[in-house]
Every structure is written in C-alpha cells, then in structure tokens.
Amino acid sequence: MDYSKTVALITGANRGLGHHFAEALLSRGARVYATARQPDLINLPGVRTLRLDLTDPASVIAAATTASDVNLLINNAGVSSSQPLVSGDLDQIHHDMNTNYFGTLTVVRAFAPVLAANGGGAILNVLSALSWFSVEGANSYSAAKAAEWSLTNGVRLELAGQGTQVTGLHLGAADTDMSAGYQGEKMAPALVVKVALDGLEAGQLEVLADDWSRYVKASLGADPALFYTQLK
C-alpha cells in the first residue's frame, strides 16, 4: 500500500486511536474521510468529515455512497460496556455485540463493493488482545471482539478474490479515553497507529502491536489452565 495514493475512511475518528489514524495518514500523504456519530466533534484540519453510526445502517450506506473513492477502510469505532455475561445488563451486552460485531460487518458489507471498484484496497480492523481471552470486568467486550476477530478472518477469505487485503490489529491497551480506568501498562496511541500502518503497508494480515498481544496469541496453543492461572 502506497499511502500517497490512498483514500482512507476511518470510523470513530473523533477521538482516541481513530483521531491518531487520521492524523498519521494525513502525514503520510493520504486523503482522509473522518467519520463519527457526531462529525462536528472531529477537530482535525485536512480531513473530510462524514456522519457514520455503526448501529445505523442508513448512515453507513450514505457514507459509502459519498466516499466512493475509498481504497482503505479502517474499522476503529467500538464500545465497551464492561458487563459480566451471566449477571450483566443484557441490553448492554447486545449493544457491545451490535456495535463491535454487527456494526463492523455492516460497514464492511457497504464498502466491499467500493473497494472492489477502486482496485481492491485494504481493510484494517482494530481488534484487541481481549479477542483471545476473558477477564472479569470485560467479558461482554471480549465476546464481541472475539466475534470481530472471527469476522476479520472470514471476510479476508471472502474478499481475497477482489484483491482486498484484510488486516487485524491486536493490542493490549492504548492510552485513550476507552481505557481511562485501566491501571496497567498502556501503549501510546501514536505508536499503536505507526505499528499498524507499517504492518498494513508491509502486507501483514495480523499486526500484534505490543508484547502483551504477542504473549496472549502465543498462549493459545497451550493448556488454558496455565494462562488463566497467571491472571489470578
């Protein structure tokens, strides 16, 4: 991917990683559509702003119609209600899944024909190390991100024929509003974005941004009792 020839659309670009993705892509010479549920909250010169709400299919279709020149889709927007699965608020659990999984799928389905028309392009899905494990206090988010990881693997196969590269980005925690209550080590958002864009440019299908995501991924082939014992 040559970013000087890239037209990117980023979901959830009003803050956090989405804002940093937009900033970094502009600096690499790309043209950028920055989207959010409330696009007036996007404060970044040089981007074109659009309304896009993952849970509002009409807004997704409208964005895909307007941004018909896109060849890079970055699915960054997401939510975390931090609900336990057994005793938590089921409406909030549905919201996590409807946003992170079904919302991302809605965006992919809308933009797949756009990417095909523009030579194939690429999709980057912002996932999480929590796609691969569960922890008290984040189970609804973990379940939704696990589903989004499976979605990423599935659409990669389905879009290969049209020449679309589909890359998943995994990380432990970035220093953004979403992880404000997390007390562990956090990666600088600008560094996460640099690693992600470098990996995408190199054609990587999976980018592991930090040591924690690499450790969790490596543990998947072992006895899960060993991994979860270490979390206690």
Side-chain angles (χ1 to χ4, degrees):
M1 176 157 288
D2 179 352
Y3 290 118
S4 68
K5 299 176 181 177
T6 294
V7 180
L9 183 138
I10 305 161
T11 66
N14 56 308
R15 62 179 184 169
L17 287 179
H19 180 91
H20 284 275
F21 269 115
E23 220 169 29
L25 283 165
L26 287 173
S27 73
R28 295 185 186 214
R31 289 186 289 137
V32 175
Y33 291 95
T35 78
R37 286 176 297 176
Q38 296 177 273
D40 54 304
L41 298 179
I42 299 171
N43 182 22
L44 189 59
V47 303
R48 181 173 178 182
T49 61
L50 293 174
R51 180 179 179 272
L52 191 155
D53 180 347
L54 271 64
T55 61
D56 177 7
S59 77
V60 176
I61 293 169
T65 301
T66 299
S68 60
D69 51 349
V70 162
N71 58 10
L72 171 59
L73 169 64
I74 298 182
N75 286 309
N76 164 75
V79 297
S80 176
S81 67
S82 303
Q83 294 294 311
L85 295 174
V86 176
S87 60
D89 184 325
L90 193 57
D91 287 340
Q92 289 298 310
I93 295 170
H94 276 293
H95 184 54
D96 276 5
M97 192 65 73
N98 286 336
T99 303
N100 297 313
Y101 177 75
F102 286 108
T104 299
L105 179 57
T106 298
V107 176
V108 169
R109 288 166 64 99
F111 276 91
V114 174
L115 296 172
N118 294 320
I123 297 172
L124 176 70
N125 287 343
V126 178
L127 303 172
S128 171
L130 281 165
S131 305
W132 298 320
F133 75 103
S134 298
V135 64
E136 289 282 359
N139 284 338
S140 60
Y141 181 73
S142 293
K145 282 298 180 179
E148 192 180 351
W149 174 47
S150 184
L151 177 159
T152 301
N153 293 333
V155 299
R156 180 183 298 125
L157 297 178
E158 294 180 17
L159 299 182
Q162 70 176 40
T164 300
Q165 174 185 329
V166 179
T167 297
L169 168 66
H170 295 264
L171 64 145
D175 193 6
T176 63
D177 291 346
M178 181 177 281
S179 61
Y182 178 65
Q183 300 302 313
E185 185 176 347
K186 301 176 189 179
M187 195 171 177
L191 181 55
V192 174
V193 167
K194 180 183 184 306
V195 172
L197 293 180
D198 287 349
L200 186 68
E201 186 176 33
Q204 295 178 7
L205 300 186
E206 193 166 73
V207 177
L208 307 182
D210 54 13
D211 289 341
W212 178 242
S213 57
R214 286 186 285 273
Y215 170 74
V216 175
K217 179 68 184 294
S219 76
L220 294 178
D223 183 346
L226 299 174
F227 177 81
Y228 283 100
T229 296
Q230 294 175 34
L231 288 186
K232 294 180 179 179

